[in-house]
Amino acid sequence: MTVAPETTGPVIEQVRRVRTEVPGPRSRELLDRQRAALPAGLGSTLPVFVASAGGGVIVDVDGNSFIDFGSGIAVTTVGNSAPRVVARATEQLQRFTHTCYLVNPYESYVAVCERLNRLAPVPGPARTALFNSGAEAVENAIKVARAATGRPAIVVFDHAFHGRTLLTMTLTAKNKPYKQGFGPFVADVYRAPMAYPYRWPTGPERCAEEAAEALVDLIDRQIGTDNVAAVLVEPIQGEGGFIVPAPGFLPKVQQICAERGLILIADEVQAGIARTGTWFASEHEGIQPDIVTSAKGLGGGLPIAAVTGRAELMDAAPAGGLGGTFSGNPVACEAALGVFDEIEEHDLLTRAQRIGETMLSTLRDIQRAHDVVGDVRGRGAMIAIELVHPGGDRRPNPELTTRIAARCHQEGLLVLTAGSYGNVLRFLPPLSISDELLNEGLEVLRSAIAAEA
Ligand SMILES: *Cc1c(COP(=O)(O)O)cnc(C)c1O
């Protein structure tokens, strides 16, 4: 039996195994209960009910074992039930579960903030406040930006995803399923084109420059510079399809903000915390945002989110203006400290880079054999392929994407879809996955593409 690297918690056999139909009989029973008890708006990508997970696998209640290329959407980056996360959170559960930081403070909250202040690529002295979810972090980053500038307008990009609350779904680009029927939306949100190299009308070479020109036009002419508080950007877009902005675009955005006194907010909720082979994805282009949000990978599976920003901006919000009842829960803070330890002790930044190299090289090989794989992109353990119709005209192929994902699921590989056109397969393995399982998963994918293309 192969056991994944030391990052695995409880010993779970590291194998791909499908021994029932998917979902199996026990999962189907639970799905019947789900349908009777939960609203229809809560769906699952792969509706098998989980019994345990760790290393690189998820085991369901029917005994099927799936290779995990999803990490609960980039959350269990250090692995499910990672030992240091479990140990710290368990000890904290015995000590106390909650005080509300706004009532009585505790050290672990401060320690998480100190760590993020050192790690985040924010220029100068930083401050951090903790929250419960990515959407809450983005909401609070915007509250801070508005309080610090006294201006209302927020600039976001096409293909952006920032969450499901009223403000953050307004910031999100895609209508279905995130916005349809949920309006009216928030005022003073403006959208610029994203420097999306694969789909830029005049080609990838002109992409960064022309997208920057469009951003300037939006800010200076359409909104009016004096009305703009912040520009909010994902350094690698997540739900939008792992779009890596054209090289040079993010530095241009930073320059445009700096010249005008606008606050640059990097939404690193999905790409941050070691996922892309650096602590934060902003580092790949050397940008230094004024404010950075993080969440998904931060708590090793426990809900915790953070806003880290330049001290003078963060201090602009009045006392009592930030925080929340559950924000920075002590168990989640201990889990986050465990995540930092796991990343440092196992050099998971390097591990994410290696996983990226392996995935990119196999996926490019698959692309050479199948012209339906239009684009292969991403950084570190955040990689995606974009599927198109054959013939080279780049027409999105969401039907093929759905079929390939379904076949992978039947074969014991959990993959997630994404993309504004529903035609992206994204791969987010936990950094605790073994090379053996990583390669096996990629071969399952290769066969699924060959069978469906
Ligand atoms: C997931 C995500 C969010 C929202 O996070 P939740 O915890 O689901 O509220 C915000 N921004 C980005 C970039 C995300 O990927």
Side-chain angles (χ1 to χ4, degrees):
M1 159 178 132
T2 323
V3 177
E6 316 91 282
T7 44
T8 319
V11 177
I12 297 175
E13 204 186 347
Q14 297 296 301
V15 291
R16 176 171 64 99
R17 179 180 60 223
V18 182
R19 62 184 197 197
T20 69
E21 50 181 357
V22 176
R26 182 85 189 97
S27 278
R28 284 177 196 272
E29 280 171 34
L30 291 164
L31 277 169
D32 286 340
R33 278 172 58 192
Q34 171 181 320
R35 274 188 279 273
L38 276 60
L42 285 167
S44 310
T45 305
L46 172 51
V48 298
F49 282 74
V50 176
S52 59
V57 296
I58 293 172
V59 181
D60 76 8
V61 290
D62 291 291
N64 300 307
S65 178
F66 297 85
I67 298 177
D68 182 9
F69 274 14
S71 298
I73 317 187
V75 167
T76 51
T77 303
V78 298
N80 234 307
S81 300
R84 282 158 192 79
V85 171
V86 172
R88 279 183 170 270
T90 306
E91 281 168 28
Q92 180 58 43
L93 277 167
Q94 312 286 343
R95 281 193 298 269
F96 60 94
T97 50
H98 172 85
T99 64
C100 183
Y101 199 79
L102 304 176
V103 178
N104 298 118
Y106 35 88
E107 184 179 347
S108 56
Y109 187 119
V110 179
V112 172
C113 296
E114 288 170 342
R115 247 354 213 278
L116 285 169
N117 291 344
R118 279 203 304 278
L119 294 170
V122 167
R127 301 272 188 276
T128 293
L130 301 179
F131 301 96
N132 301 294
S133 69
E136 231 190 307
V138 173
E139 291 252 356
N140 279 279
I142 283 166
K143 281 166 66 174
V144 166
R146 284 178 167 168
T149 59
R151 300 170 184 173
I154 306 297
V155 174
V156 290
F157 290 91
D158 198 5
H159 310 290
F161 180 86
H162 297 293
R164 288 183 166 83
T165 58
L166 178 59
L167 174 58
T168 59
M169 78 176 162
T170 304
L171 301 169
T172 292
K174 192 176 175 178
N175 179 44
K176 270 188 183 157
Y178 305 123
K179 304 166 85 160
Q180 178 63 34
F182 299 149
F185 302 105
V186 178
D188 272 310
V189 171
Y190 301 86
R191 196 170 305 283
M194 168 46 70
Y196 182 174
Y198 181 66
R199 294 196 176 278
W200 195 256
T202 55
E205 294 75 24
R206 308 266 305 131
C207 179
E209 198 185 316
E210 290 179 1
E213 282 164 11
L215 177 63
V216 167
D217 184 76
L218 177 67
I219 291 170
D220 291 351
R221 189 178 62 79
Q222 299 184 43
I223 314 170
T225 317
D226 294 348
N227 300 315
V228 180
V231 175
L232 169 65
V233 66
E234 294 159 86
I236 298 178
Q237 290 186 310
E239 306 300 304
F242 288 14
I243 299 165
V244 183
F249 179 65
L250 293 173
K252 280 190 211 290
V253 173
Q254 173 168 291
Q255 191 192 341
I256 289 163
C257 288
E259 285 167 358
R260 290 164 178 74
L262 315 182
I263 293 173
L264 175 59
I265 306 171
D267 182 355
E268 296 243 15
V269 164
Q270 188 155 168
I273 316 295
R275 176 50 60 185
T276 68
T278 50
W279 280 101
F280 288 91
S282 294
E283 295 167 48
H284 293 288
E285 288 262 352
I287 60 164
Q288 294 197 307
D290 301 297
I291 300 176
V292 171
T293 57
S294 47
K296 286 187 164 94
L298 182 58
L302 278 84
I304 185 167
V307 178
T308 304
R310 281 167 46 211
E312 67 268 30
L313 302 179
M314 295 297 287
D315 287 339
L322 301 177
T325 308
F326 293 113
S327 300
N329 168 273
V331 181
C333 284
E334 290 290 344
L337 294 172
V339 166
F340 295 130
D341 292 348
E342 291 277 350
I343 292 170
E344 278 168 4
E345 285 173 32
H346 299 291
D347 191 13
L348 293 182
L349 299 183
T350 306
R351 180 68 189 141
Q353 292 160 21
R354 290 293 99 78
I355 287 174
E357 286 158 16
T358 302
M359 288 200 288
L360 285 174
S361 115
T362 306
L363 293 169
R364 286 187 179 129
D365 190 52
I366 296 173
Q367 185 183 30
R368 280 189 285 275
H370 299 282
D371 69 349
V372 293
V373 180
D375 198 23
V376 176
R377 60 180 179 246
R379 296 191 199 271
M382 184 173 182
I383 303 291
I385 58 175
E386 178 156 354
L387 293 149
V388 293
H389 285 274
D393 64 2
R394 300 181 186 210
R395 253 185 323 128
N397 200 338
E399 301 79 18
L400 175 65
T401 310
T402 307
R403 289 205 310 273
I404 295 170
R407 188 176 278 265
C408 288
H409 296 165
Q410 295 300 320
E411 296 295 328
L413 171 68
L414 170 60
V415 294
L416 306 177
T417 57
S420 293
Y421 312 105
N423 68 327
V424 172
L425 287 174
R426 56 173 157 170
F427 313 116
L428 293 159
L431 305 180
S432 53
I433 196 170
S434 66
D435 283 333
E436 225 173 316
L437 277 187
L438 179 67
N439 286 317
E440 186 175 335
L442 289 167
E443 291 314 314
V444 171
L445 176 71
R446 187 199 298 272
S447 309
I449 292 172
E452 298 292 346

